Amino acid sequence: MPWLSILMGVSVLGALGVTLVRNDKLAKQFTLGVSLVVLALAIAMAVGFNPNGDKFQFVEKYVWIRSFGVHYAVGVDGIALVLILLSVVLVPIVVLASWHDAEAGKRSVRTYFSLLLVLEAMMIGVFAATDVFLFYVFFEAMLIPMYFMIGSYGGAQRSYAAVKFLLYSLFGGLLMLVAVIALYSIADKHTFMFSDLIGTIQDVNTQKWLFLGFFIAFAIKAPLWPFHTWLPDAAAQAPAGAAVLLVGVLDKVGTYGMLRFCLELFPDAAKYFTPLVITLSVIGIVYGAIVAIGQTDMKRLIAYTSVSHFGFIAMGVFAMTTNAGAGATLYMVNHGFSTGALFLIAGFLIHRRGSQYIADYGGVQKVAPVLAGTFLVAGLSSLSLPGLSTFVSEFMVLVGTYQRYLVPAIIATTGVVLAAIYVLWMYQRTMNGPTAESVKKLPDLSVREKWVIAPLLALLLVFGFYPKPLLDMIHPAVKSTLTTVQVSDPAAVVPVAKEAQ
Amino acid sequence: MTTHYLVLSALLFAIGGVGVLVRRNAIVVFMCVELMLNACNLAFVTFARQNGNLDGQVIAFFVMIVAAAEVVIGLAIIVTIFRTRRSASVDDASLLKY
Amino acid sequence: MEPAEIIQHSGGVIGASWLMIALPLLGAAILLLGGRRTDRFGHLLGVAMSVAAFVVAALAFFQLLGFAPGERRRGVSLYDLIPGITKIGLLVDPLSISFCLLITFVGSLIHIYSIGYMAHDPARRRFFAYLNLFVAAMLLLVLADNYLGLYVGWEGVGLASYLLIGFWQHKPSAATAAKKAFIVNRVGDFGLAIGIFTIFATFHSVSYAGVADGIAKGGSIPFTAIGLLLLLGACGKSAQLPLQSWLLDAMEGPTPVSALIHAATMVTAGVYLVVRSGPIFQATDTAQLVVTIVGVATLLAGAIIGTAKDDIKKALAGSTMSQIGYMMLAAGIGPAGYAFAIAHLITHGFFKADMFLGAGSVMHAMNDEVDMRKYGGLRKLMPITFVTFFIGYLAIIGFPLLSGYFTKDGIIETAVEHNAILGWLAVLGAGITGFYMSRLVFMTFFGKKRWEADAHPHESPAVMTWPLIILSVGAVVLGAFLVLGNRFMIFLAPAVGRPEELPSFAPFSPTGLVTLALVAVGAGFAWVRYGSAEVPAVAPRGSFLTTFARRDLYGDALNEALFMRPGQWLTRLAVFFDNRGIDGLVNSLAALIGGTSGRMRKVQTGFVRSYALSIFVGAAVLVGAWFVVGNL
């Protein structure tokens, strides 16, 4: 069964269907229904996934442009699968959370939800693509719905933010296009199929240039320090739901691309550039956290925490150990849930009070305890408290990096202290202390909002104590990637008996 | 043998080019453009003859068709402009700029 | 004698010892998710879950006693926590079960006490939920069979501590204290985390069994680095120098919290960590020496802080720091000190909880007044509180035959034998303890009334006094029970090892006599200053030393000057750099392109003939270039 095409097809048809529905309320319900169907199908697909089977599963391959060897080719390994699952889990949550988001402006409500479903199809496509050209097409096309979601439905400075986001991403995308075309012609295999291109570029110098073309695009997308400044603007201006998909999924394409394309296609260049990338990541971790501490705007603060978190992910990818790689992949998933929850709850809060500024709040815990409690849990997940799934991934990334790069791992670990400062300080300023006059009448979470947050927090908790199901999918894929790159894990100084482990 | 045709073609092309540059009346400019196109046609046909194949002739046909289409649209535009502005000068129609 | 091997175990109560963690966790989950519906029975459920955990712990303890001493380390495997890094299981051995009994027993008493103490608080249910959460996390900390599980519990208790210190979060001081506690603890956790990374990188295992196995095999193991990193973690959690500053602020929390978390159990986790990591510390003299120095420095610092505080809870908190310093000192000595460290930890758990709850009882009676200068003469009005508190007091200063006499003197004797300088400093600390604890008791229960006009002190209800009575009984008998005949050292030996030669208990040894004399001098001095003499209602300015002690030895000032202010400055600089530097660069690049295109578009004049001219010129240039290049 062509699972992946069905997933995308259902989303696209849903998007068309939404535009045909006349009634806004019905359109929302329809969108929610479609996204839930996609979720159910994706789960059904994931159940059929065999972690120890072929590298890519649910493979489909059709010729698209014969003369250039371009294929519509999709398939997933463990890494892509968990990211697709992340996307399809977040979409219904975002739909439910954005119930009233699109109504404030003059733009059509239906268009917003239709764009959401289009975006969902593209998110699935970009992770599923096993043809480099197809990946590029999805990579760029994803910008379009997101551009409109920010530019048409965002905050006061939406057009500035949307244009900045678009241009910045396009710039990276074009560099990648050059690299894709160069890869095609230098490899001279007359195909864009990922698996056929592995190992075709032998010359290290060529690898380096092509690597840079891909890497800069991904570093902008992720975003890695110092290419990050579009993110706070875009995330702060986007409606909460779009911000969740932007930071939660779209940015993951960057780190996913590093893991999939930069490492496997250009292994020698990846090793050559590792010190540089790790340095940038570590700077990003500490720098993002410090700048986050100094923010006065809640959404910008959350965006900067993500800069810090993406540093962890990139560091994990380039540490090239099983633990770090698997941790980085898991981090991508967990970060989607964790930051998603933070953005959504901050969105609920901002919707109630009408201000993004932290200083306008205070003592919300007293009037809205459930809102405050969920905000705290989401915040704790952002500072990687053990028991929440973000801890598992951060620990794996750090321990995996430490095995090979001692000093960067130690510097990165200071991030855990800084994270405590930015999360708890924001929480204290908004939720604790005497209740501010302006928030005295703030209502607590509604039933709809509770249903938005509950699944996210539940996932964070469950995978915090039992990450095995996800890791079992991720591990073989990461190991296969590292085999392609030809690196192996550092051995133990003093190996101990297996049963003692 | 064919050199004369080519010289004629170049001459016609130059006349057309100068006409496009110096004349203000849109109709005349238009005619000069046609002259340049036909100068090219002459060159194509000449080369076809010289090389002994039909490629140049075929292209000349293409050019004719394009020129015909261009005339239709171009004249329509010129007439419309003349109707609204009471002038056929190309310098008067300079609104489409930075 | 080396620790025994861990034997895999299933079945019986020990096999089900995960219930100890699961039950309180379930209680917390029900109370937090159930919302207001559970308000009516929330406190009872909380107590029930804690008592149930105690019952499981007690049954497991008795099952453990049924095994031969060499077989008393039982490992219970649970599941694969992080595939590729570690499985999680529980380790039920004499060390962990001692902690379990302490945590669940004292914890249950404090749960019961809180029913009365928090009776009028509208958020009492939430309070019990957090207490349950704490008990679960603390039990995970001590029961886990690997460092990662310990770390999960470690941060879990940190969370519970954060929530409970900030329980009255509408007070900015409470919210700030909670945040401070969490962040300072995170600094310690930074060390602990890197310690665990190092352990994993060295052994590819983070389980205690794996580490022991690796050490037995030998090789180049960075013992000192691991030891010092773990110690940093221990310092954070146990409020040892230099990470002590959060504990005094933590007294913003409700008093039962101070008793349970910030006196009896959580703050002793650092001692547990050092003792549990014995195989690592024993291989590195440097780390052990640092542990003992930290212990002595803290025991003196805590004692000095205790002498100057007028806030009864802060005086007790200083005392807690100081007592944990003793435990740390003993834990740094090695197998000879482990049993005393843990024994003192247990007796301290009893008498300090007893005194904290007593202080809570006093505050309850005095409209939540904490300033001892506004107490005085309370012994007649609150007889039960007074008697139980007095027993705790006698126990902590080491009055003969009470708990502290056995356990603290055990530590001092061992320390003097181990390192004379450190040992005698510990003796000096005991003398200061005699002074500040006497000062506290005299100011509170003796002398004249210095109450506020609206204070109407009264004895607390039975639900609060019974826990006091039970704890004070423990404070009387536990020390003798544990230390006499080296009972506890022999019990603990399979888990942590013991010296080949068991120490013999000598009543009134020279060291002990000196200690007692110093304590008596301290107490006498306190009587002169605060017992018989009038206590001024407003604290006198005092000497430089008094100010030094009152300001917590300038710990906060130091942190502020070294970390907070530079940190704020760095933050502002980074934000500025981000907005003006990086983003400024991006935006000016955009402006440059925009400006250039604004100029370039002027070329589009709208005159068709000039376009035609440029086309001709362009064509001419191209043809010309072709001729030139073609001729070259």
Side-chain angles (χ1 to χ4, degrees):
Chain A
M1 218 162 124
W3 280 105
L4 292 160
S5 296
I6 291 177
L7 287 181
M8 283 186 263
V10 171
S11 314
V12 170
L13 288 179
L16 289 176
V18 172
T19 55
L20 297 178
V21 180
R22 284 272 157 254
N23 174 330
D24 277 352
K25 186 156 185 237
L26 209 63
K28 292 173 189 170
Q29 288 163 347
F30 182 75
T31 314
L32 185 62
V34 171
S35 60
L36 286 174
V37 169
V38 175
L39 173 62
L41 287 171
I43 290 174
M45 177 184 85
V47 169
F49 181 80
N50 175 12
N52 301 313
D54 294 341
K55 180 172 166 76
F56 288 109
Q57 297 178 28
F58 312 114
V59 172
E60 298 165 48
K61 184 175 170 186
Y62 308 98
V63 175
W64 178 15
I65 307 175
R66 191 178 300 278
S67 48
F68 292 115
V70 177
H71 299 85
Y72 170 82
V74 289
V76 289
D77 64 352
I79 301 170
L81 180 64
V82 292
L83 289 170
I84 288 177
L85 286 175
L86 165 72
S87 318
V88 298
V89 167
L90 282 181
V91 170
I93 289 170
V94 164
V95 170
L96 199 57
S98 313
W99 215 247
H100 301 300
D101 274 7
E103 284 163 8
K106 294 184 185 112
R107 311 285 175 146
S108 149
V109 175
R110 278 170 287 148
T111 312
Y112 183 81
F113 286 94
S114 178
L115 286 172
L116 260 177
L117 287 177
V118 172
L119 189 62
E120 177 168 32
M122 287 173 172
M123 293 188 303
I124 298 169
V126 77
F127 291 124
T130 53
D131 180 287
V132 180
F133 191 87
L134 184 68
F135 172 80
Y136 174 76
V137 169
F138 279 123
F139 184 82
E140 292 284 58
M142 276 195 324
L143 298 176
I144 301 165
M146 187 45 81
Y147 171 77
F148 284 112
M149 283 166 84
I150 299 174
S152 301
Y153 302 91
Q157 285 196 296
R158 55 181 178 268
S159 48
Y160 167 75
V163 170
K164 192 170 181 179
F165 159 74
L166 187 73
L167 288 183
Y168 222 137
S169 304
L170 270 181
F171 170 70
L174 291 177
L175 282 181
M176 186 172 139
L177 179 62
V178 173
V180 167
I181 293 170
L183 173 67
Y184 172 78
S185 46
I186 296 171
D188 204 20
K189 291 264 179 165
H190 213 73
T191 177
F192 279 102
M193 281 301 289
F194 172 70
S195 45
D196 295 336
L197 288 172
I198 290 177
T200 49
I201 310 287
Q202 294 294 340
D203 179 47
V204 180
N205 256 327
T206 319
Q207 275 199 21
K208 282 181 195 164
W209 285 108
L210 296 181
F211 174 91
L212 281 180
F214 277 83
F215 179 76
I216 293 176
F218 295 142
I220 289 175
K221 195 84 169 178
L224 215 57
W225 188 88
F227 304 110
H228 64 274
T229 52
W230 64 268
L231 181 69
D233 286 324
Q237 296 304 324
V244 171
L245 291 182
L246 175 68
V247 181
V249 183
L250 262 64
D251 290 355
K252 302 297 162 29
V253 180
T255 45
Y256 166 79
M258 292 178 198
L259 183 56
R260 162 104 333 129
F261 297 101
C262 287
L263 252 52
E264 291 202 47
L265 290 177
F266 320 111
D268 299 318
K271 283 177 213 161
Y272 176 81
F273 282 112
T274 294
L276 174 74
V277 181
I278 296 231
T279 310
L280 290 184
S281 312
V282 170
I283 294 177
I285 291 169
V286 177
Y287 179 92
I290 290 178
V291 178
I293 294 171
Q295 293 304 310
T296 51
D297 176 321
M298 232 181 284
K299 279 168 123 182
R300 285 184 75 88
L301 193 153
I302 301 171
Y304 274 108
T305 69
S306 294
V307 173
S308 180
H309 291 148
F310 281 111
F312 276 107
I313 300 176
M315 186 175 81
V317 169
F318 278 86
M320 297 193 211
T321 59
T322 314
N323 283 326
T329 311
L330 189 62
Y331 209 128
M332 295 186 214
V333 178
N334 292 332
H335 176 264
F337 295 144
S338 152
T339 305
L342 263 183
F343 264 124
L344 290 177
I345 301 169
F348 295 155
L349 197 59
I350 291 164
H351 192 76
R352 284 167 163 69
R353 168 74 175 75
S355 163
Q356 312 209 134
Y357 290 100
I358 296 173
D360 289 340
Y361 296 87
V364 174
Q365 205 271 351
K366 202 86 181 168
V367 288
V370 180
L371 193 154
T374 51
F375 195 54
L376 181 63
V377 178
L380 292 173
S381 74
S382 182
L383 62 78
S384 301
L385 190 85
L388 297 167
S389 58
T390 43
F391 165 72
V392 178
S393 40
E394 192 163 303
F395 185 85
M396 289 179 75
V397 166
L398 285 171
V399 90
T401 309
Y402 187 90
Q403 282 175 271
R404 188 164 276 138
Y405 305 105
L406 193 89
V407 176
I410 291 175
I411 301 174
T413 311
T414 57
V416 304
V417 180
L418 297 172
I421 297 177
Y422 62 65
V423 167
L424 295 184
W425 199 33
M426 170 168 75
Y427 183 78
Q428 186 190 354
R429 285 181 290 170
T430 51
M431 301 295 173
N432 288 346
T435 309
E437 202 54 48
S438 53
V439 300
K440 281 237 163 83
K441 297 243 164 65
L442 235 55
D444 210 340
L445 288 189
S446 68
V447 176
R448 172 180 66 86
E449 291 165 332
K450 281 180 189 162
W451 274 106
V452 169
I453 296 304
L456 288 175
L457 299 189
L459 285 167
L460 284 169
L461 265 171
V462 168
F463 291 129
F465 283 101
Y466 195 62
K468 196 171 184 301
L470 288 180
L471 282 173
D472 281 348
M473 288 193 238
I474 294 169
H475 262 301
V478 169
K479 279 186 180 137
S480 131
T481 304
L482 293 181
T483 315
T484 315
V485 187
Q486 292 179 326
V487 288
S488 50
D489 287 336
V493 181
V494 182
V496 299
K498 197 77 195 154
E499 68 271 16
Q501 291 180 4
Chain B
M1 180 63 203
T2 49
T3 321
H4 297 108
Y5 293 96
L6 288 180
V7 170
L8 176 62
S9 154
L11 221 62
L12 287 174
F13 190 85
I15 293 171
V18 171
V20 168
L21 287 180
V22 301
R23 298 301 299 265
R24 286 209 185 85
N25 190 312
I27 303 283
V28 179
V29 170
F30 210 64
M31 280 158 60
C32 291
V33 170
E34 293 300 313
L35 196 58
M36 289 164 76
L37 285 171
N38 283 316
C40 291
N41 278 350
L42 183 57
F44 274 124
V45 174
T46 309
F47 283 124
R49 168 87 182 171
Q50 190 177 329
N51 295 336
N53 64 24
L54 287 176
D55 290 0
Q57 308 245 14
V58 172
I59 292 177
F61 274 112
F62 272 108
V63 174
M64 278 185 218
I65 289 162
V66 170
E70 190 198 328
V71 168
V72 171
I73 295 175
L75 277 178
I77 292 172
I78 291 169
V79 169
T80 316
I81 289 179
F82 184 76
R83 275 194 188 151
T84 50
R85 324 204 103 190
R86 292 277 135 213
S87 147
S89 165
V90 287
D91 285 3
D92 287 347
S94 67
L95 274 182
L96 199 64
K97 58 186 175 187
Y98 47 81
Chain C
M1 204 180 104
E2 294 298 311
E5 290 284 317
I6 295 172
I7 296 166
Q8 283 305 313
H9 181 103
S10 61
V13 187
I14 292 179
S17 47
W18 54 271
L19 276 174
M20 264 191 266
I21 302 165
L23 286 173
L25 200 61
L26 180 70
I30 293 175
L31 294 181
L32 285 176
L33 297 178
R36 298 207 180 87
R37 271 157 292 187
T38 54
D39 268 353
R40 238 162 13 90
F41 58 88
H43 49 290
L44 298 178
L45 182 75
V47 171
M49 288 306 181
S50 179
V51 171
F54 171 67
V55 171
V56 177
L59 292 175
F61 173 65
F62 286 118
Q63 197 191 352
L64 198 65
L65 283 184
F67 296 108
E71 295 169 4
R72 282 189 191 156
R73 301 194 85 188
R74 318 298 289 190
V76 182
S77 61
L78 292 180
Y79 64 93
D80 208 353
L81 181 59
I82 304 183
I85 293 189
T86 191
K87 294 187 168 65
I88 182 132
L90 304 181
L91 172 60
V92 182
D93 71 352
L95 179 62
S96 62
I97 203 75
S98 306
F99 268 90
C100 290
L101 288 172
L102 173 75
I103 295 158
T104 52
F105 184 72
V106 176
S108 298
L109 288 179
I110 290 174
H111 272 78
I112 294 168
Y113 176 91
S114 306
I115 297 178
Y117 192 84
M118 301 298 285
H120 304 299
D121 197 298
R124 180 166 71 168
R125 165 186 57 84
R126 207 153 45 81
F127 183 79
F128 277 89
Y130 295 161
L131 277 189
N132 266 206
L133 179 68
F134 167 75
V135 170
M138 187 74 200
L139 288 169
L140 174 63
L141 193 165
V142 297
L143 278 172
D145 71 347
N146 63 64
Y147 282 99
L148 188 66
L150 172 133
Y151 190 78
V152 174
W154 190 269
E155 292 243 326
V157 293
L159 170 66
S161 163
Y162 168 80
L163 293 170
L164 285 163
I165 296 171
F167 186 72
W168 290 316
Q169 45 76 30
H170 50 87
K171 290 198 298 186
S173 58
T176 307
K179 183 186 65 185
K180 180 177 176 185
F182 197 95
I183 290 168
V184 175
N185 264 295
R186 271 257 154 158
V187 176
D189 296 352
F190 163 78
L192 178 56
I194 295 178
I196 297 174
F197 301 158
T198 316
I199 290 173
F200 184 81
T202 312
F203 304 109
H204 276 203
S205 163
V206 292
S207 73
Y208 303 140
V211 172
D213 186 41
I215 292 174
K217 280 191 178 140
S220 59
I221 302 168
F223 283 115
T224 309
I226 299 176
L228 291 177
L229 287 165
L230 295 183
L231 176 65
L232 183 60
C235 285
K237 193 63 60 188
S238 290
Q240 301 292 293
L241 289 174
L243 298 177
Q244 83 293 356
S245 65
W246 64 271
L247 183 62
L248 292 155
D249 291 357
M251 296 300 127
E252 287 287 342
T255 310
V257 173
S258 311
L260 178 61
I261 300 184
H262 305 117
T265 53
M266 184 190 84
V267 286
T268 59
V271 180
Y272 170 80
L273 177 65
V274 173
V275 173
R276 183 56 93 191
S277 312
I280 293 170
F281 280 97
Q282 282 163 48
T284 158
D285 289 339
T286 319
Q288 275 196 308
L289 180 67
V290 177
V291 173
T292 49
I293 291 174
V294 164
V296 169
T298 312
L299 82 84
L300 288 173
I304 293 169
I305 290 171
T307 56
K309 291 287 174 189
D310 291 331
D311 179 328
I312 186 168
K313 284 179 73 182
K314 294 208 168 168
L316 284 172
S319 155
T320 303
M321 261 175 72
S322 171
Q323 297 300 312
I324 298 170
Y326 278 104
M327 299 170 209
M328 209 49 109
L329 167 65
I333 290 172
Y338 290 157
F340 286 116
I342 304 298
H344 190 54
L345 192 155
I346 292 171
T347 56
H348 173 259
F350 274 79
F351 59 67
K352 186 52 70 60
D354 176 27
M355 283 191 285
F356 257 116
L357 294 185
S361 176
V362 170
M363 285 161 57
H364 203 62
M366 303 289 286
N367 298 339
D368 286 330
E369 178 60 63
V370 290
D371 188 352
M372 293 191 289
R373 293 187 186 275
K374 293 177 180 157
Y375 292 168
L378 286 171
R379 69 179 185 284
K380 300 227 177 66
L381 283 158
M382 309 183 69
I384 302 176
T385 305
F386 168 65
V387 171
T388 53
F389 197 102
F390 202 75
I391 292 172
Y393 157 70
L394 291 178
I396 194 174
I397 63 171
F399 193 80
L401 303 182
L402 270 71
S403 284
Y405 172 71
F406 292 99
T407 55
K408 194 164 73 176
D409 276 21
I411 292 175
I412 291 175
E413 300 263 356
T414 323
V416 169
E417 223 166 279
H418 176 77
N419 181 330
I421 303 173
L422 295 177
W424 286 107
L425 285 173
V427 172
L428 177 67
I432 307 178
T433 310
F435 170 73
Y436 73 77
M437 283 312 301
S438 309
R439 169 179 178 269
L440 194 154
V441 168
F442 295 150
M443 282 176 86
T444 305
F445 293 103
F446 292 83
K448 294 211 181 80
K449 301 170 184 175
R450 301 178 300 274
W451 310 337
E452 294 280 347
D454 58 346
H456 305 288
H458 51 86
E459 186 56 277
S460 296
V463 73
M464 288 168 67
T465 49
W466 272 107
L468 290 176
I469 294 167
I470 296 170
L471 285 169
S472 60
V473 170
V476 174
V477 300
L478 262 179
F481 176 76
L482 294 175
V483 173
L484 288 181
N486 289 312
R487 197 177 274 128
F488 193 59
M489 189 174 279
I490 293 166
F491 173 67
L492 218 50
V496 301
R498 66 172 170 82
E500 289 307 321
E501 209 173 315
L502 285 170
S504 55
F505 179 75
F508 307 116
S509 66
T511 324
L513 281 176
V514 174
T515 311
L516 272 182
L518 269 178
V519 169
V521 169
F525 185 55
W527 176 252
V528 175
R529 287 287 303 276
Y530 301 98
S532 59
E534 191 83 6
V535 178
V538 179
R541 260 188 71 222
S543 65
F544 165 72
L545 276 175
T546 321
T547 321
F548 184 57
R550 269 193 201 134
R551 310 248 340 238
D552 310 339
L553 316 183
Y554 292 107
D556 281 339
L558 199 71
N559 286 341
E560 199 175 308
L562 277 185
F563 302 108
M564 203 182 99
R565 297 212 176 280
Q568 285 175 335
W569 184 79
L570 184 68
T571 306
R572 274 198 290 271
L573 185 79
V575 172
F576 180 81
F577 175 69
D578 202 62
N579 290 338
R580 297 290 159 80
I582 299 183
D583 205 27
L585 207 67
V586 172
N587 283 340
S588 49
L589 193 67
L592 182 74
I593 293 171
T596 314
S597 75
R599 296 225 166 72
M600 300 256 294
R601 71 183 184 188
K602 297 282 182 198
V603 176
Q604 308 287 326
T605 52
F607 293 109
V608 179
R609 293 184 306 140
S610 69
Y611 299 165
L613 181 63
S614 61
I615 291 172
F616 270 99
V617 171
V621 167
L622 275 181
V623 171
W626 185 74
F627 269 113
V628 172
V629 173
N631 289 344
L632 278 178

